[in-house]
Amino acid sequence: MRNALRKLLSSSWPVVRAIALIGCVTDLLVEVEGQGSPDFRRNVWVGIDEQESSHWSLGGLQPTAEIIASTFGAIGTDGVRIARR
């Protein structure tokens, strides 16, 4: 059994994007560790641990949703991050 835990800042990703992230990490583990075997997929566990910004440091700052949006772009209504211009 393979386990992968991704840590994210609370409220930084909508649920639809978190679900997509779980699928992508699962696909990656199946391809790399399971050598592409579909049977390996049932042995992959992926979890997301959301933590408050007070539990994080980004260059010595505690990141907020606003800091993340200004650095990487805001998240649109469709759940996709909008590229910064």
Side-chain angles (χ1 to χ4, degrees), residues 60-83:
L61 301 173
Q62 288 182 322
T64 63
E66 292 78 21
I67 290 172
I68 291 171
S70 69
T71 303
F72 302 107
I75 295 176
T77 56
D78 60 355
V80 176
R81 194 166 297 279
I82 300 167

Side-chain angles (χ1 to χ4, degrees), residues 22-36 40-41:
I22 289 171
C24 289
V25 171
T26 300
D27 291 346
L28 177 66
L29 289 173
V30 168
E31 183 63 30
V32 173
E33 291 193 43
Q35 300 175 355
F40 188 81
R41 182 173 296 277

